[in-house]
């Protein structure tokens, strides 16, 4: 952000897509104001990406991001629970149920069956205000030794920026290729749910 400060104690920033200014008056030229408006509009130009990076032996990082066609509150209502999220992302998963809790607290455990294997996930973080949850795999399954995942939703006007990051450690000698196809399909299923 470009602006001229009249007072050195000025604090300015962008919070939730809005310009927040406290403690001073700002003076800006018409050109600077236009640049600031353009920067705020462009903040929501999130490209749809799915990137898989090899981070070590049998280790993979999957980073996926997309701009969903729904306000953050509506997107969070559909995706903010691990159970609801996997009902959308993995519609062929069966027997989704909470073994511990109901998904609203840290420490809750969700189990489901995927391709004949039992998947046991633990809610590590769930922040309703920040629209974020983190989860991890409790025990190895389907060739996955470890999985740590974070899903964050951010408001972008009437749309929602979704960022999903997962770190996998595979069983030694197990190829990530079949899982990469599942990962791509999960992401496509989430996007399809919010397509007009």
């Amino acid at each position: 952000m470009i602006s001229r400060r009249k007072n050195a104690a000025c604090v300015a920033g962008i919070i939730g897509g809005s310009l927040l200014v406290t403690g001073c008056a700002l003076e800006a030229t018409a050109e600077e104001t236009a640049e600031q408006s353009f920067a705020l509009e462009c903040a929501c130009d999130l490209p749809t990406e799915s990137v898989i990076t090899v981070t070590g032996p049998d280790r993979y990082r999957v980073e996926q991001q997309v701009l969903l066609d729904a306000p953050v509150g509506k997107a969070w209502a559909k995706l903010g629970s691990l159970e609801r999220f996997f009902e959308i992302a993995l519609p062929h998963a069966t027997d989704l149920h909470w073994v511990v809790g109901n998904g609203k607290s840290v420490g809750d455990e969700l189990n489901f069956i995927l391709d004949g294997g039992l998947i046991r996930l633990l809610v590590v973080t769930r922040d309703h205000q920040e629209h974020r949850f983190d989860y991890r795999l409790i025990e190895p399954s389907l060739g996955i030794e470890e999985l740590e995942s974070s899903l964050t939703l951010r408001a972008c006007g009437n749309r929602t920026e979704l960022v999903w990051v997962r770190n996998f450690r595979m069983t030694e000698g197990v190829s990530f290729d079949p899982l990469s196809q599942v990962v791509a399909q999960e992401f496509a299923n989430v996007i399809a749910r919010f397509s007009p």
Side-chain angles (χ1 to χ4, degrees):
M1 180 169 70
I2 302 170
S3 52
R4 290 188 205 136
R5 292 188 278 172
K6 287 185 172 181
N7 179 340
C10 173
V11 177
I14 296 174
I15 296 180
S18 299
L19 180 62
L20 173 69
V21 181
T22 60
C24 71
L26 292 180
E27 171 183 77
T29 66
E31 182 179 290
E32 290 170 339
T33 302
E35 285 178 22
Q36 292 167 6
S37 295
F38 179 73
L40 287 174
E41 289 172 19
C42 290
C44 286
D45 284 342
L46 185 75
T48 300
E49 288 185 334
S50 185
V51 178
I52 298 173
T53 307
V54 177
T55 58
D58 304 311
R59 293 182 182 269
Y60 302 85
R61 181 176 177 88
V62 179
E63 298 174 83
Q64 296 171 309
Q65 63 182 30
V66 65
L67 199 56
L68 301 175
D69 233 358
V72 73
K74 192 174 271 189
W76 182 250
K78 290 183 181 178
L79 301 175
S81 159
L82 202 57
E83 179 182 19
R84 286 192 309 266
F85 179 76
F86 278 109
E87 287 172 347
I88 293 169
L90 290 171
H92 63 282
T94 59
D95 197 24
L96 265 82
H97 65 280
W98 291 103
V99 177
V100 175
N102 59 6
K104 295 183 180 178
S105 302
V106 170
D108 290 355
E109 181 184 327
L110 178 71
N111 288 4
F112 59 89
I113 305 295
L114 180 65
D115 297 332
L118 173 64
I119 305 293
R120 298 180 61 215
L121 300 175
L122 180 71
V123 177
V124 177
T125 304
R126 185 171 187 277
D127 189 325
H128 185 68
Q129 289 183 334
E130 293 293 321
H131 302 111
R132 174 189 171 134
F133 62 78
D134 302 330
Y135 61 92
R136 70 174 176 79
L137 189 65
I138 295 173
E139 63 186 32
S141 183
L142 299 175
I144 305 167
E145 288 294 315
E146 295 174 2
L147 164 64
E148 293 181 353
S149 180
S150 176
L151 183 106
T152 306
L153 304 178
R154 292 185 189 98
C156 262
N158 285 330
R159 298 190 293 171
T160 299
E161 174 185 297
L162 177 146
V163 177
W164 190 8
V165 178
R166 289 174 279 179
N167 291 294
F168 293 91
R169 183 172 69 84
M170 303 299 292
T171 303
E172 186 176 346
V174 173
S175 172
F176 188 74
D177 290 342
L179 186 57
S180 69
Q181 294 172 17
V182 173
V183 161
Q185 188 60 56
E186 286 175 318
F187 190 48
N189 291 341
V190 170
I191 293 170
R193 183 62 174 253
F194 291 92
S195 294

